[in-house]
Amino acid sequence: MEAIGDILVLPFYGQGHLFPCMELCKKFTSFNFKVTLIIPSHLSSSIPPHLRHHSLIQVVEISATSTPPPLHKAVELPALPPKQKGHGFMHGPFSHHHQQLGQGIDTFLSERRNGSGQTRPICAAVDVMMSWSKEIFVKYEIPFVSFFTSGACAAAMEFAAWKNHADEVKPGEIRILPGLPESMALSYSDIKRNRHGPGHHRGGGPNRQNEPSGPPGGVEDGPPKPGQKPRWLDEVEGSIALLINTCHDLEGPFIDYVANQIEKPLWGVGPLLPETYWKSTSSILHDHEVRSNRQSNFTEEKVMQWLNSKPQGSVIYVSFGSEVGPSLVEYAQLADALEASNHPFIWVIQAGSGRPGPPPVLFGDDQQEEGYYPNVLDERIGNKGLIIRGWAPQLLILSHPSTGGFLSHCGWNSTMEAIGRGIPILAWPIRGDQFHDAKLVANYLKMGHMILLSDDPGEMVKKDDIVQGIDKMMKDEGVHKQAMALRSIFQSDYPESSMCSLKSFIQLISK
């Protein structure tokens, strides 16, 4: 059967954005659409073979080199009407990556338009972190939709904080946000942490005043502060619809709230997790079957063997993802805490951990950074802990019966993967949206706890805070029961509400 039409999908650079975009591509093909996934070429190794061999998916790789191009070769993008402008991702220290990628996308679309037998794409699904690129799609008269790889809670909370003047909250005050659950009311502590919290970088602890802030796109002042207009409102300007990587079963009130605030169709189409995730809810998942393995000091088989040697529900999994994490000083406190804890653990440490700024590998720079590593810890703990450098088989770890808790920054993909496997979360958020996700986990979903965070943004998380947080989470039968209850949402298949949303979206673009 001939494909109905072609949809373009453009993710942001990190794997946390790429993975849900790959799954979105597969969802579109289930409706007999051809999909073109446009990626920076340095993400090539992250594309698994089964996606490249899919009959309806084309992967287009475009160079976005780490070396700034000559100024005279920077792509000239057409100006948008004032209401369609984004928030400035084409400016700042990483603008040359976007310039290179933008030039490549422009060339690809120009060649495609001039090619024989090529029809214009029916639409482009654009990661909101790539909102600068909508100028290119407007130039080629391709309608675009804004895709949030994060959940609805962060978007709703940012909007509600702006609408309800959260920046005016006083010490001791609790401000309920009309239209959102009372459990998500903002306290002065919430405001102070978010107001002074770090930007998009890995070193999230003290002494951060001299570190660069803001997302790697180049926004100078980081995430919006409480009471400020959410940036996503500008990012979605000109789009025909919004797609969010979540479902009504988990975030119904937040999806409905955002939908009521904007004059665009909005659909929850997630969680966008690998197909085997839905088909193996009672068995152990194997990451190599769905994701490309990266460099690591332990094979998936070794990790499996270690987990097999531990009692059921005893292991604490510690991972902050590849883009954000605590400071160097806080990593040392974490090492002491894991040694002092009575629980066996798996700790994943990325290259450059504790260093400020986005990791160079995010933009294809292979330079190796020296980050934090607990060199003497593995000698002292013996078989109690497994310290993984680099890539870790997270799906396997979260689906293994020995895993009993997850110390996480509450990045959205990690949060979804933990919920789907019934694993309680000890939240240690680092930057803007993660504070909202952490509050969602602890206050609304009630399947985890927040690590003790001071109102003072310059005060680091200490060893005792971590030890107490781990013990509280691992021993709390209530959060374990609630985590398992939430898991039942994922027991049968991809959520029905999300499938209905996808069908509604397909009807919109097929008109």
Side-chain angles (χ1 to χ4, degrees):
M1 184 186 300
E2 188 175 348
I4 298 172
D6 191 3
I7 300 175
L8 308 179
V9 176
L10 178 64
F12 184 62
Y13 299 95
Q15 288 195 12
H17 295 259
L18 176 62
F19 288 160
C21 282
M22 291 193 303
E23 298 305 322
L24 185 64
C25 288
K26 288 187 273 189
K27 294 298 180 188
F28 288 154
T29 63
S30 68
F31 292 92
N32 201 35
F33 280 90
K34 181 183 176 184
V35 181
T36 301
L37 176 64
I38 302 173
I39 63 168
S41 55
H42 70 268
L43 288 180
S44 178
S45 61
S46 297
I47 304 295
H50 73 268
L51 196 80
R52 290 190 183 278
H53 298 153
H54 197 294
S55 61
L56 289 175
I57 296 177
Q58 177 189 12
V59 179
V60 173
E61 299 176 15
I62 295 173
S63 175
T65 60
S66 58
T67 303
L71 291 177
H72 68 276
K73 289 189 176 180
V75 60
E76 292 293 329
L77 298 179
L80 280 177
K83 285 193 175 183
Q84 288 183 321
K85 286 190 179 293
H87 59 46
F89 275 127
M90 289 306 283
H91 306 285
F94 297 105
S95 61
H96 59 269
H97 298 284
H98 299 309
Q99 290 284 356
Q100 286 289 87
L101 185 61
Q103 186 177 32
I105 295 171
D106 188 273
T107 300
F108 165 71
L109 292 176
S110 175
E111 292 175 350
R112 177 190 169 112
R113 181 178 62 182
N114 297 329
S116 59
Q118 294 280 5
T119 57
R120 189 174 65 198
I122 195 168
C123 77
V126 180
D127 189 320
V128 291
M129 291 284 284
M130 303 294 272
S131 61
W132 56 266
S133 67
K134 59 188 179 183
E135 303 179 8
I136 306 172
F137 299 110
V138 168
K139 172 183 174 181
Y140 290 94
E141 300 180 332
I142 301 171
F144 66 92
V145 298
S146 296
F147 176 45
F148 288 72
T149 56
S150 55
C153 175
M157 291 292 288
E158 285 182 6
F159 191 99
W162 171 54
K163 188 174 182 179
N164 292 280
H165 307 287
D167 54 323
E168 300 173 2
V169 172
K170 302 293 189 295
E173 179 185 353
I174 300 295
R175 181 159 298 187
I176 292 175
L177 304 173
L180 291 177
E182 288 191 17
S183 59
M184 299 300 289
L186 289 173
S187 68
Y188 180 72
S189 296
D190 293 329
I191 301 305
K192 194 158 185 181
R193 280 196 295 266
N194 284 354
R195 180 182 293 141
H196 299 286
H200 190 118
H201 56 80
R202 292 155 294 163
N207 304 316
R208 55 173 83 115
Q209 62 268 24
N210 295 321
E211 298 174 357
S213 66
V219 176
E220 290 79 5
D221 53 352
K225 297 174 176 60
Q228 290 185 338
K229 179 183 178 182
R231 289 208 178 89
W232 62 261
L233 281 174
D234 290 329
E235 291 168 345
V236 304
E237 277 292 326
S239 64
I240 61 172
L242 276 64
L243 301 179
I244 302 187
N245 183 18
T246 189
C247 64
H248 262 275
D249 308 80
L250 287 177
E251 291 197 290
F254 306 96
I255 294 174
D256 294 340
Y257 180 87
V258 177
N260 290 333
Q261 304 303 323
I262 61 172
E263 298 178 354
K264 296 177 189 291
L266 178 149
W267 292 290
V269 295
L272 290 162
L273 299 168
E275 188 176 354
T276 54
Y277 193 97
W278 307 107
K279 295 182 178 179
S280 310
T281 51
S282 60
S283 60
I284 296 174
L285 292 165
H286 295 278
D287 294 64
H288 70 270
E289 296 176 357
V290 292
R291 292 174 178 170
S292 296
N293 292 8
R294 289 184 165 270
Q295 193 170 6
S296 176
N297 59 334
F298 285 102
T299 65
E300 195 169 324
E301 182 182 8
K302 287 288 186 183
V303 175
M304 181 81 160
Q305 290 173 357
W306 186 90
L307 282 165
N308 288 342
S309 71
K310 304 304 174 190
Q312 182 172 341
S314 66
V315 174
I316 175 78
Y317 173 52
V318 182
S319 177
F320 292 94
S322 58
E323 296 174 32
V324 296
S327 67
L328 287 168
V329 181
E330 286 172 324
Y331 268 114
Q333 293 288 313
L334 175 57
D336 291 343
L338 291 174
E339 183 179 8
S341 171
N342 294 321
H343 300 279
F345 63 88
I346 294 178
W347 184 8
V348 184
I349 301 180
Q350 302 289 340
S353 290
R355 298 295 181 187
V361 71
L362 188 67
F363 296 96
D365 191 338
D366 291 331
Q367 73 179 66
Q368 293 295 314
E369 292 182 297
E370 285 191 19
Y372 178 80
Y373 188 79
N375 290 302
V376 296
L377 180 62
D378 45 6
E379 298 172 8
R380 296 202 299 258
I381 58 173
N383 196 43
K384 174 189 170 183
L386 198 67
I387 304 175
I388 299 177
R389 283 180 183 255
W391 180 88
Q394 182 160 297
L395 296 178
L396 182 153
I397 294 168
L398 291 175
S399 62
H400 197 285
S402 293
T403 303
F406 185 8
L407 173 52
S408 170
H409 62 303
C410 275
W412 190 243
N413 282 343
S414 291
T415 301
M416 290 290 93
E417 289 169 6
I419 291 173
R421 281 299 185 241
I423 302 297
I425 294 174
L426 178 61
W428 184 345
I430 305 296
R431 64 178 171 93
D433 58 326
Q434 294 160 12
F435 285 94
H436 301 308
D437 295 344
K439 193 162 185 170
L440 177 82
V441 164
N443 292 21
Y444 179 70
L445 297 177
K446 300 185 185 303
M447 47 83 65
H449 293 289
M450 286 263 284
I451 208 160
L452 181 63
L453 294 170
S454 169
D455 287 350
D456 181 358
E459 187 174 337
M460 71 178 183
V461 176
K462 299 181 179 67
K463 168 189 169 182
D464 290 345
D465 303 329
I466 303 166
V467 172
Q468 291 169 14
I470 290 174
D471 285 346
K472 184 178 182 180
M473 176 188 62
M474 296 297 276
K475 295 175 181 177
D476 188 338
E477 293 185 8
V479 300
H480 283 269
K481 288 180 180 178
Q482 179 63 6
M484 291 305 293
L486 290 169
R487 176 180 175 170
S488 64
I489 295 171
F490 302 83
Q491 289 286 57
S492 55
D493 205 343
Y494 177 69
E496 184 178 345
S497 63
S498 295
M499 182 55 72
C500 290
S501 292
L502 271 175
K503 290 177 180 176
S504 298
F505 169 69
I506 294 301
Q507 288 176 354
L508 173 71
I509 63 174
S510 299
K511 289 180 180 178

